[in-house]
Amino acid sequence: MSDHDHHDEKRGVSRRKVLECMTWAGTGVLWTVTGGVPHSLGLVEAANAAEPNGITFLQISDSHVGFDKPANPNALGTLEEAINKVKAMPKKPSFMIHTGDISHLSKASEFDDADRIISQAKLDVHYVPGEHDFLDEEIKFYKDRYGKGTRGAGYYSFDAGGVHFIGLVNVVDLKAGGLGNLGAEQLAWLADDLKGKSKSTPVVLFAHIPLWTVYPQWGWGTDDGGRALELLKGFGSVTVLNGHIHQIMQKVEGAVTFHTARSTAFPQPAPGTAPSPGPMKVDDSKLRSMLGIASINFMQGQQKLAIIDTPLAG
């Protein structure tokens, strides 16, 4: 249990109540979700020693290849460190999901560098774009590399290991304050995509900006995300994975678990602790403890999900 949980118990607030609201997940902790409630099982080293059952996949996010400011002068180098951790995993995951901001300025050279490093993991990778991937005039570089076979601005779905995965795009028409937006066309496609799916089918939604409202003052949420989640009502297991905010946050609402990932490039401040979001400079000795990857394991037939967040160091 994290210090956060201990402090809440001292104030007389139950751990379950805290988890029903919003929690900061502890570094390197394995989370298992049963009946919609996360439980901390142990440190990531102990989790890695166990042989995972069912489908296991990885999430990386916010590589920002091309970023070279003081918060991390070598974002390409820390991406490579993250991929080296993937390569060293004792059991190869089924595939990888990248939840956007592959590049920092949507330059062809940045996408080239990202591909060169990420391909070293030798995994299939499913991408969704971040706003930093859509900066070139025709959005050509992202679409040429990752848009084949997708709809609209790049949304799509696929099935793996009994799980239905849906990649959404919420960075095209940003709303006031930078809030994400899905739009009517994508929502109509999502409704059609879910038709005929058994309510017992585990569903994973992944997009760049959180589909839940984390901190609207900083644009950390999706304007019409609630409409997407309405379409998932009745499904027994729904997991929503996002990036964008460069830190671990978790929220549980009924059968829906929301989880945001660390960046492989630089941290951002916690909501409301700085005048605005953006790259946060920390001591060099702390940087790698605030960057990392996530591994997600589904247990077939148990509607059970384990998330292992692994920092680059610490």
Coordinates of all heavy atoms in Angstrom, one line a residue, residues 37-72:
V37 N -12.5 -3.0 -8.8 CA -11.7 -2.4 -7.7 C -10.2 -2.8 -7.8 O -9.9 -4.0 -7.8 CB -12.2 -2.8 -6.3 CG1 -11.4 -2.2 -5.2 CG2 -13.7 -2.4 -6.2
P38 N -9.3 -1.9 -7.9 CA -7.9 -2.3 -8.0 C -7.3 -2.7 -6.6 O -7.7 -2.2 -5.6 CB -7.2 -0.9 -8.4 CG -8.3 0.0 -8.8 CD -9.5 -0.5 -8.1
H39 N -6.4 -3.7 -6.7 CA -5.8 -4.1 -5.4 C -4.3 -4.2 -5.7 O -3.8 -4.7 -6.7 CB -6.2 -5.5 -5.1 CG -7.7 -5.6 -4.8 ND1 -8.3 -5.2 -3.6 CD2 -8.7 -6.0 -5.6 CE1 -9.6 -5.4 -3.7 NE2 -9.9 -5.8 -4.9
S40 N -3.5 -3.6 -4.8 CA -2.0 -3.6 -5.0 C -1.5 -5.0 -4.5 O -1.7 -5.4 -3.4 CB -1.4 -2.5 -4.1 OG 0.0 -2.6 -4.1
L41 N -0.7 -5.7 -5.4 CA -0.3 -7.0 -5.1 C 1.2 -7.1 -4.7 O 1.6 -8.0 -4.0 CB -0.5 -7.9 -6.3 CG -2.0 -8.2 -6.6 CD1 -2.0 -9.3 -7.7 CD2 -2.7 -8.7 -5.4
G42 N 2.0 -6.1 -5.2 CA 3.4 -6.2 -4.8 C 4.3 -5.4 -5.8 O 3.8 -4.8 -6.7
L43 N 5.6 -5.5 -5.5 CA 6.5 -4.7 -6.3 C 6.7 -5.4 -7.7 O 6.5 -6.6 -7.9 CB 7.9 -4.6 -5.6 CG 7.9 -3.9 -4.3 CD1 9.3 -3.9 -3.7 CD2 7.5 -2.4 -4.5
V44 N 7.1 -4.6 -8.6 CA 7.2 -5.0 -10.0 C 8.2 -6.2 -10.2 O 8.0 -7.1 -11.0 CB 7.5 -3.8 -11.0 CG1 8.9 -3.4 -10.8 CG2 7.3 -4.2 -12.4
E45 N 9.2 -6.2 -9.4 CA 10.2 -7.3 -9.5 C 9.5 -8.6 -9.2 O 9.7 -9.6 -9.8 CB 11.4 -7.1 -8.6 CG 12.3 -6.0 -9.0 CD 11.8 -4.6 -8.7 OE1 10.8 -4.5 -8.0 OE2 12.4 -3.6 -9.2
A46 N 8.7 -8.7 -8.1 CA 8.0 -9.9 -7.8 C 7.0 -10.2 -8.8 O 6.8 -11.4 -9.2 CB 7.3 -9.7 -6.4
A47 N 6.3 -9.2 -9.4 CA 5.4 -9.5 -10.5 C 6.0 -10.1 -11.7 O 5.5 -11.0 -12.3 CB 4.6 -8.2 -10.8
N48 N 7.2 -9.6 -12.0 CA 7.9 -10.1 -13.2 C 8.3 -11.5 -13.0 O 8.5 -12.3 -14.0 CB 9.1 -9.2 -13.5 CG 8.7 -8.0 -14.3 OD1 7.6 -8.0 -14.9 ND2 9.5 -7.0 -14.3
A49 N 8.5 -12.0 -11.8 CA 9.0 -13.3 -11.5 C 7.8 -14.3 -11.8 O 8.1 -15.5 -12.0 CB 9.5 -13.4 -10.1
A50 N 6.6 -13.9 -11.7 CA 5.5 -14.7 -12.0 C 5.2 -14.9 -13.5 O 5.3 -13.9 -14.2 CB 4.2 -14.2 -11.3
E51 N 4.8 -16.1 -13.9 CA 4.5 -16.3 -15.3 C 3.1 -15.8 -15.6 O 2.1 -16.3 -15.0 CB 4.6 -17.8 -15.6 CG 4.4 -18.2 -17.0 CD 5.6 -17.9 -17.8 OE1 6.7 -17.6 -17.3 OE2 5.5 -18.0 -19.1
P52 N 3.0 -14.8 -16.4 CA 1.6 -14.2 -16.7 C 0.8 -15.2 -17.5 O 1.3 -15.9 -18.3 CB 1.9 -13.0 -17.5 CG 3.3 -13.2 -18.1 CD 4.0 -14.1 -17.2
N53 N -0.5 -15.2 -17.2 CA -1.4 -16.0 -17.9 C -2.3 -15.1 -18.8 O -2.5 -14.0 -18.5 CB -2.3 -16.9 -17.0 CG -1.5 -17.8 -16.2 OD1 -0.7 -18.5 -16.7 ND2 -1.7 -17.8 -14.9
G54 N -2.9 -15.7 -19.9 CA -3.7 -14.8 -20.7 C -2.9 -14.0 -21.6 O -1.7 -14.2 -21.9
I55 N -3.5 -12.9 -22.1 CA -2.9 -12.0 -23.0 C -2.1 -10.9 -22.3 O -2.7 -10.3 -21.3 CB -3.9 -11.4 -24.0 CG1 -3.2 -10.5 -25.0 CG2 -5.0 -10.7 -23.3 CD1 -4.1 -9.9 -26.1
T56 N -0.9 -10.6 -22.6 CA -0.1 -9.5 -22.0 C 0.3 -8.6 -23.1 O 0.8 -9.0 -24.2 CB 1.1 -10.1 -21.3 OG1 0.7 -10.9 -20.3 CG2 2.0 -8.9 -20.7
F57 N 0.1 -7.3 -22.9 CA 0.6 -6.3 -23.9 C 1.1 -5.1 -23.2 O 1.0 -4.9 -22.0 CB -0.6 -5.9 -24.8 CG -1.7 -5.1 -24.2 CD1 -1.7 -3.7 -24.2 CD2 -2.8 -5.8 -23.6 CE1 -2.7 -3.0 -23.6 CE2 -3.8 -5.1 -23.0 CZ -3.8 -3.7 -23.0
L58 N 1.9 -4.3 -23.9 CA 2.6 -3.2 -23.3 C 2.0 -1.9 -23.8 O 1.5 -1.8 -24.9 CB 4.1 -3.2 -23.8 CG 5.0 -4.2 -23.1 CD1 6.3 -4.3 -23.8 CD2 5.3 -3.7 -21.6
Q59 N 2.1 -0.9 -22.9 CA 1.7 0.5 -23.3 C 2.9 1.4 -23.1 O 3.5 1.4 -22.0 CB 0.6 1.1 -22.5 CG 0.2 2.5 -22.9 CD -0.8 3.2 -21.9 OE1 -1.0 2.6 -20.8 NE2 -1.2 4.3 -22.3
I60 N 3.3 2.1 -24.2 CA 4.3 3.2 -24.0 C 3.6 4.5 -24.5 O 2.6 4.4 -25.3 CB 5.6 3.0 -24.7 CG1 5.4 2.9 -26.3 CG2 6.3 1.7 -24.2 CD1 6.7 2.9 -27.0
S61 N 4.1 5.6 -24.1 CA 3.4 6.9 -24.5 C 4.4 8.0 -24.4 O 5.4 8.0 -23.8 CB 2.3 7.1 -23.5 OG 1.3 8.0 -24.0
D62 N 4.0 9.1 -25.2 CA 4.6 10.4 -25.1 C 6.2 10.3 -25.2 O 6.9 10.7 -24.3 CB 4.2 11.1 -23.8 CG 2.7 11.3 -23.8 OD1 2.3 12.4 -24.3 OD2 1.9 10.5 -23.4
S63 N 6.6 9.7 -26.3 CA 8.1 9.6 -26.6 C 8.7 11.0 -26.9 O 9.9 11.2 -26.6 CB 8.3 8.6 -27.7 OG 7.8 7.4 -27.4
H64 N 7.9 11.9 -27.5 CA 8.4 13.2 -27.9 C 9.8 13.2 -28.5 O 10.7 14.0 -28.1 CB 8.4 14.1 -26.6 CG 7.0 14.5 -26.2 ND1 6.4 15.6 -26.7 CD2 6.1 13.9 -25.3 CE1 5.1 15.7 -26.2 NE2 5.0 14.7 -25.3
V65 N 10.0 12.3 -29.5 CA 11.3 12.3 -30.1 C 11.5 13.6 -30.8 O 10.7 14.1 -31.6 CB 11.3 11.1 -31.1 CG1 12.6 11.2 -32.0 CG2 11.3 9.8 -30.4
G66 N 12.7 14.2 -30.6 CA 13.0 15.5 -31.0 C 13.1 16.5 -29.9 O 13.7 17.6 -30.1
F67 N 12.5 16.2 -28.8 CA 12.5 17.1 -27.6 C 14.0 17.1 -27.1 O 14.6 16.1 -26.9 CB 11.6 16.6 -26.5 CG 11.5 17.5 -25.3 CD1 10.7 18.6 -25.3 CD2 12.3 17.2 -24.2 CE1 10.7 19.5 -24.2 CE2 12.3 18.1 -23.1 CZ 11.4 19.2 -23.1
D68 N 14.5 18.3 -26.8 CA 15.9 18.4 -26.3 C 16.1 19.5 -25.3 O 17.2 20.1 -25.1 CB 16.8 18.6 -27.5 CG 16.5 19.9 -28.3 OD1 15.6 20.6 -27.9 OD2 17.3 20.2 -29.3
K69 N 15.0 19.9 -24.6 CA 15.1 21.0 -23.6 C 15.6 20.5 -22.3 O 15.8 19.2 -22.1 CB 13.7 21.6 -23.4 CG 13.1 22.2 -24.7 CD 13.9 23.3 -25.3 CE 13.3 24.0 -26.5 NZ 13.2 23.1 -27.7
P70 N 15.8 21.4 -21.3 CA 16.4 21.0 -20.0 C 15.7 19.8 -19.3 O 16.3 19.1 -18.6 CB 16.4 22.2 -19.2 CG 16.5 23.3 -20.2 CD 15.7 22.9 -21.4
A71 N 14.4 19.7 -19.5 CA 13.6 18.6 -18.8 C 14.1 17.3 -19.2 O 14.0 16.3 -18.4 CB 12.1 18.8 -19.0
N72 N 14.7 17.1 -20.4 CA 15.3 15.9 -20.8 C 16.0 16.2 -22.2 O 15.4 16.2 -23.2 CB 14.4 14.8 -21.0 CG 15.1 13.5 -21.4 OD1 16.3 13.4 -21.6 ND2 14.3 12.4 -21.6

